[in-house]
Amino acid sequence: MIPETPETPETTERGGDAPVFSVRGLWKVFGPKADRVPGSAEAELSTEELRSRTGCTAAVRDVSFDVQPGEVFVVMGLSGSGKSTLVRCLTRLIEPTAGDLSIDGEDVLAMDKSRLRDLRRRRAAMVFQHFGLLPHRSVLDNVAYGLEIQGMGKAERRAKAAEMVDKVGLNGLERRRPGQLSGGQQQRVGLARALAADPEVLLFDEPFSALDPLIRRDMQEEVIRLHHDEGRTMVFITHDLSEALRLGDRIALMRDGGIVQLGTPEEIVGSPADDYVRDFVRDVPREQVLTVRRAMRPAGTGEADDGPALAPGTTVADAIEAVARTGGPVRVVDGGRCLGVVDHACLLNVVAGLDREEAGAA
């Protein structure tokens, strides 16, 4: 399986739907005469060489991707990789230096101040690591604040805020002030405030990185639940690989401002694009990410006829249990059609990191 790459963004489109965000050749360069860097000979220099020669830093380098309706698109990378700068460029909280950027086909870079306000208030809501709650206001009034700015009447906005408070599991805390809440509860208030505007897309900028591990996992579960219930498009920024693999439908892995690899969690773990990605995913339990699509082999005589069956999205870990229970091959079935079978040998080959071609040769 060949991973998707930023050089071929059309391969990222799913199901033919028009993308929510479409990004092509996006640059953000900081420094003197920054607009001269994209498209120049200096654009090919390393981060250190570019800074030494021009005094500029390319935080985002020639990035291209689409975000499809209803998907969780994760941008991940280490500190300084450019991921937070990139997400701020999507709503022009940071002005891109060069490239093309659109939302639902509308040119974001051509938006005037009025259209940008509408974009940020109604269409693409941000959820930050630092919650930015108003300390003198109750939970309910913090959630309703964005609606108040939009001019919604008091009764209507409080009713909408109460609905969002219930949605994120803060029932009974409506009258409390932020200082009376735990970190996880404060982050839920921030999430409810973003949801209250009913945005088309939620933009998360490392929202859970300051939380304790158990609270962080709870918030990840909350995001998964909301996505499952609403199907809302989400762009999620993180430096945590396990978080990216858990939440993302697709992941864009960044390094030095560019996208090193773009693909599904299974593609990132199963087919690393280079040594950097390979080192990044080295310690990931492959059996918990890879599916039987990668592990299955063609069915032999009689193997496709009947017996236990697994869906093609079943993880290798679950398939190992199924094969252990049956003591023999298990069919992989989609829509009533047998795609192949899995057995002990092909499952263990995948866990060991062997490609299907190598497994077949063995």
Side-chain angles (χ1 to χ4, degrees), residues 310-322:
L310 299 170
T314 304
T315 64
V316 168
D318 289 338
I320 289 173
E321 292 185 11

Side-chain angles (χ1 to χ4, degrees), residues 285-293 295 308-332 342-344 346-348 350-351:
R286 293 168 60 88
E287 69 277 9
Q288 296 178 16
V289 178
L290 304 184
T291 69
V292 292
R293 291 186 189 92
L310 299 170
T314 304
T315 64
V316 168
D318 289 338
I320 289 173
E321 292 185 11
V323 169
R325 285 195 302 269
T326 63
V330 175
R331 297 181 301 148
V332 179
V342 289
D343 56 22
H344 284 291
C346 57
L347 290 172
L348 291 176
V350 167
V351 173

Side-chain angles (χ1 to χ4, degrees), residues 141-332:
D141 286 337
N142 264 285
V143 174
Y145 181 68
L147 302 176
E148 180 181 347
I149 295 298
Q150 292 178 13
M152 184 179 290
K154 183 175 182 179
E156 184 181 359
R157 70 174 181 259
R158 287 177 69 86
K160 180 69 172 178
E163 179 185 344
M164 295 303 106
V165 167
D166 178 65
K167 188 181 289 289
V168 301
L170 290 176
N171 279 332
L173 302 179
E174 294 89 345
R175 296 178 181 274
R176 293 195 183 182
R177 303 288 177 86
Q180 298 173 298
L181 304 177
S182 68
Q185 289 169 336
Q186 290 181 36
Q187 190 58 276
R188 287 175 187 265
V189 176
L191 179 57
R193 182 175 57 191
L195 288 169
D198 194 24
E200 180 181 0
V201 56
L202 284 169
L203 307 175
F204 295 87
D205 188 9
E206 300 203 65
F208 311 144
S209 61
L211 301 178
D212 292 336
L214 291 179
I215 298 174
R216 180 172 187 161
R217 186 170 182 85
D218 286 344
M219 289 304 302
Q220 291 170 358
E221 291 286 354
E222 190 67 27
V223 169
I224 292 170
R225 183 185 67 80
L226 285 170
H227 184 254
H228 180 268
D229 291 348
E230 300 187 353
R232 196 181 300 269
T233 306
M234 300 179 181
V235 178
F236 200 99
I237 308 302
T238 183
H239 65 271
D240 187 315
L241 178 60
S242 62
E243 186 168 71
L245 295 172
R246 191 159 186 249
L247 297 179
D249 293 317
R250 289 187 300 139
I251 300 168
L253 179 57
M254 294 190 70
R255 182 187 189 191
D256 295 333
I259 294 179
V260 181
Q261 185 171 357
L262 195 164
T264 65
E266 185 170 12
E267 289 168 338
I268 297 289
V269 172
S271 301
D274 60 18
D275 288 342
Y276 178 76
V277 182
R278 192 169 293 108
D279 287 342
F280 220 101
V281 303
R282 186 183 305 278
D283 297 326
V284 173
R286 293 168 60 88
E287 69 277 9
Q288 296 178 16
V289 178
L290 304 184
T291 69
V292 292
R293 291 186 189 92
R294 180 175 293 270
M296 64 186 183
R297 60 169 175 79
T301 303
E303 288 182 324
D305 298 338
D306 54 25
L310 299 170
T314 304
T315 64
V316 168
D318 289 338
I320 289 173
E321 292 185 11
V323 169
R325 285 195 302 269
T326 63
V330 175
R331 297 181 301 148
V332 179

Side-chain angles (χ1 to χ4, degrees), residues 35-48:
D35 58 322
R36 297 186 180 182
V37 172
S40 70
E42 284 78 12
E44 303 299 323
L45 297 175
S46 69
T47 299
E48 293 76 13

